[in-house]
Amino acid sequence: MSKALNTHFDIESSTESCYLDNGMRLICEYKKSFTTTIGCFIPAGAMYETLEERGSAIFLEHLFFRRTKCNNKEEIECMIEEIGGKVTALAMRDIFLFYGTVLSCKIDKLIQLFANVILNGVICDKDVTQEKIVILEKLSEMESDREKIIMDYLPTIAYQDTALGISVYPATNIVRKFSSKNLIEFRNRLFQTCYMTMVCTGSIYLKELQRIVCKHFGCNIEDYKSSFGVSNKQRFCKDPIEYRFTAAEMRLRDDDNEMGYAAIGFEGSSYREREDCTALTVAKEIVGSWDKSDGGANHNAPFIAHYAYNTDLCYMYKSFFHHWAQSTSIWGCYFVCDYSTLLYMVRALQKEWMKLCTTITQKEVSRAVHQCITKDLLILNDPLNRFFDIVENVYRHGCYEPVEHRVVEYEKVTADKIREVSHKYIYDQSPVVIALGRIEGFPDYTHVKNGLYLLRY
């Protein structure tokens, strides 16, 4: 075991970072690999849209690699084919990122493409009009994905009337009326090199990456100086106080569907509260997840999974722990049940959550700790997941935390710590509740709230 950990430390020590003259931050992890994943993230998600710019993030996701001043759509597609890689843009509530994976010998050309798109990208009315149809079709397709709908509604209801309550997916009437002028303003305001962080994981050292980026982005000391003295509020037009959590519920009953889909979430810790964040991650693994296609039959370790297999309690359930914007998160569970078993499923969850607060054992905690460590170590084997792991750490935690440090933190978690953190974030707290489908059997909000404390224990 110690030999494996020593090898892991050698891998992690190769991660370096620096700032360029134009304000861009570079984070580079060197490891021997035939492929390299490179991408950039910018605090430019849906929550940074002004009222007039509503919908800009999702439109830019579709149009980011569409056209530049020197190249049309077909020419950019040919460039990507010549590189032999795949590039993607992704818009979320609090962040916008674009990335690509290529052979390590083609890194220079991929960064050149990124620079061309960032520095010379253009938006035209024709492209926006064409993309309206695509986005409307995507919104229509989402209606059949109940999990995606619920997990999108969850932060919208939990952070209603705040910046974080703004979904990436706008209303259809906003899409139809969307103007390219608003998208251009959104891009010009936020997509500047001084706000960007480039992350690279693969066969390239930091000095070589710095040389390539400076060559294509044209670093200039004046640009770097202009980024200082600008507060986050001025940059993104939002105040951190707007991340307020609201305990509320939303129900959309549809009796044409035989099943009920629901999620119950609590306000969790921020990424900066590392001990609490680690303990809640372990608590999530204790509750676990399960669906009818899983193996293990009657030998599932999580109590609810074992109970569901023997009683047809639910079709599936999935614990979650989602972070946003460095300072807030939602911890809870999503589940799908027959309409007649919704009440029993909620009771089972309440019982399991109260167990976390009162009688959880060290054996259960140790099992969950080992699962958390395994999941984090598996990230090292997938360059794309590794890229996302670095992005999430840097953006939401504020700095990169090596995996071996996380392993040490996981091993510190005890049953007493789980009880302490669960009592802080779960016990007698008011959750956010989302329910769709045939939900006449779903208990009312008061019943859900009353099951989160015990008169004695």
Side-chain angles (χ1 to χ4, degrees):
M1 177 67 180
S2 61
K3 183 177 180 181
L5 285 176
N6 286 335
T7 302
H8 180 58
F9 290 164
D10 291 339
I11 293 174
E12 291 300 328
S13 63
S14 63
T15 303
E16 301 175 286
S17 67
C18 72
Y19 284 91
L20 300 181
D21 289 343
N22 63 1
M24 183 189 296
R25 185 181 183 184
L26 301 184
I27 299 174
C28 182
E29 179 197 49
Y30 176 83
K31 60 180 180 179
K32 293 182 179 179
S33 174
F34 291 109
T35 62
T36 297
T37 299
I38 305 176
C40 296
F41 69 84
I42 307 171
M47 63 182 292
Y48 298 116
E49 299 170 347
T50 63
L51 186 62
E52 295 75 18
E53 295 168 350
R54 186 73 184 96
S56 294
I58 189 66
F59 269 93
L60 195 58
E61 175 186 303
H62 287 252
L63 297 172
F64 195 73
F65 292 103
R66 181 63 59 87
R67 196 183 301 273
T68 68
K69 295 176 182 177
C70 306
N71 307 103
N72 57 29
K73 177 183 176 182
E74 290 73 21
E75 290 172 337
I76 291 179
E77 288 176 352
C78 288
M79 291 178 188
I80 297 173
E81 290 176 1
E82 289 175 3
I83 294 173
K86 181 180 180 181
V87 295
T88 306
L90 181 62
M92 293 181 278
R93 286 177 184 258
D94 58 342
I95 190 173
F96 187 98
L97 60 94
F98 56 94
Y99 57 91
T101 300
V102 294
L103 295 174
S104 297
C105 59
K106 300 293 183 70
I107 295 172
D108 188 290
K109 292 185 177 180
L110 180 59
I111 294 176
Q112 183 181 10
L113 174 63
F114 286 166
N116 187 23
V117 170
I118 285 291
L119 302 177
N120 303 313
V122 295
I123 305 295
C124 68
D125 293 336
K126 178 182 177 182
D127 291 338
V128 170
T129 302
Q130 291 177 347
E131 216 57 38
K132 286 181 181 180
I133 300 173
V134 176
I135 293 175
L136 288 171
E137 289 179 354
K138 186 175 181 179
L139 293 176
S140 179
E141 291 172 0
M142 276 186 62
E143 294 180 3
S144 61
D145 189 341
R146 301 294 193 279
E147 181 178 356
K148 195 168 184 177
I149 291 174
I150 285 180
M151 299 315 292
D152 185 62
Y153 271 127
L154 195 69
T156 299
I157 301 302
Y159 302 101
Q160 56 188 285
D161 298 326
T162 73
L164 201 52
I166 301 174
S167 171
V168 175
Y169 306 101
T172 54
N173 65 312
I174 293 178
V175 175
R176 293 190 180 98
K177 298 177 181 178
F178 189 79
S179 169
S180 59
K181 177 184 176 182
N182 298 330
L183 182 55
I184 293 170
E185 291 175 353
F186 176 79
R187 179 180 177 128
N188 292 342
R189 179 167 58 89
L190 296 175
F191 283 73
Q192 302 179 34
T193 54
C194 57
Y195 304 150
M196 292 172 53
T197 299
M198 179 175 287
V199 176
C200 176
T201 173
S203 297
I204 184 171
Y205 288 102
L206 179 62
K207 287 186 177 180
E208 179 64 14
L209 178 64
Q210 185 176 356
R211 183 190 66 79
I212 296 173
V213 173
C214 286
K215 179 178 70 173
H216 293 302
F217 279 87
C219 298
N220 190 310
I221 190 66
E222 280 73 23
D223 291 340
Y224 179 63
K225 289 179 179 178
S226 68
S227 70
F228 286 89
V230 180
S231 69
N232 284 336
K233 183 177 180 181
Q234 289 173 314
R235 285 184 184 182
F236 310 126
C237 304
K238 300 296 176 185
D239 195 312
I241 199 173
E242 300 220 15
Y243 303 150
R244 182 192 67 251
F245 182 90
T246 300
E249 70 171 346
M250 187 192 77
R251 302 182 185 221
L252 296 174
R253 180 170 171 175
D254 179 12
D255 288 349
D256 291 334
N257 198 317
E258 288 298 317
M259 292 185 290
Y261 307 82
I264 303 175
F266 304 86
E267 183 178 17
S269 64
S270 73
Y271 237 61
R272 297 188 182 102
E273 300 170 300
R274 293 306 294 163
E275 290 186 3
D276 289 357
C277 183
T278 301
L280 283 174
T281 302
V282 174
K284 175 179 77 74
E285 291 299 325
I286 293 174
V287 179
S289 60
W290 177 86
D291 68 45
K292 288 199 170 186
S293 65
D294 283 353
N298 199 35
H299 307 290
N300 294 285
F303 168 76
I304 297 180
H306 180 83
Y307 186 31
Y309 176 81
N310 286 280
T311 62
D312 290 328
L313 176 67
C314 63
Y315 291 95
M316 65 87 68
Y317 80 95
K318 181 189 298 182
S319 297
F320 58 80
F321 188 20
H322 296 319
H323 292 268
W324 290 280
Q326 298 186 17
S327 60
T328 188
S329 64
I330 299 181
W331 185 98
C333 187
Y334 165 80
F335 52 94
V336 180
C337 299
D338 186 84
Y339 72 94
S340 61
T341 60
L342 282 167
L343 174 62
Y344 304 109
M345 181 63 190
V346 172
R347 286 177 177 173
L349 282 171
Q350 291 169 330
K351 181 178 180 180
E352 189 72 357
W353 290 335
M354 291 301 96
K355 181 180 177 182
L356 291 175
C357 300
T358 57
T359 59
I360 194 68
T361 65
Q362 186 59 44
K363 181 179 179 180
E364 293 170 292
V365 173
S366 297
R367 174 188 63 81
V369 165
H370 294 152
Q371 287 183 320
C372 291
I373 292 173
T374 300
K375 287 183 177 181
D376 273 17
L377 293 177
L378 285 173
I379 290 173
L380 297 175
N381 298 325
D382 187 329
L384 188 56
N385 286 337
R386 185 68 177 137
F387 167 78
F388 280 109
D389 177 60
I390 295 174
V391 168
E392 183 170 2
N393 266 266
V394 172
Y395 180 63
R396 297 196 168 100
H397 181 40
C399 64
Y400 174 67
E401 183 182 25
V403 173
E404 71 267 15
H405 292 180
R406 283 176 264 172
V407 170
V408 173
E409 291 301 315
Y410 282 133
E411 292 175 341
K412 292 179 182 178
V413 178
T414 63
D416 288 338
K417 183 63 178 178
I418 293 295
R419 284 191 285 269
E420 175 192 335
V421 172
S422 299
H423 203 279
K424 179 179 178 181
Y425 293 99
I426 302 173
Y427 192 86
D428 200 20
Q429 298 299 311
S430 298
V432 58
V433 177
I434 309 294
L436 308 176
R438 190 168 180 183
I439 54 173
E440 69 266 31
F442 195 89
D444 61 31
Y445 188 87
T446 303
H447 183 96
V448 176
K449 173 68 172 66
N450 289 346
L452 298 175
Y453 65 86
L454 302 172
L455 294 178
R456 63 183 182 184
Y457 63 85

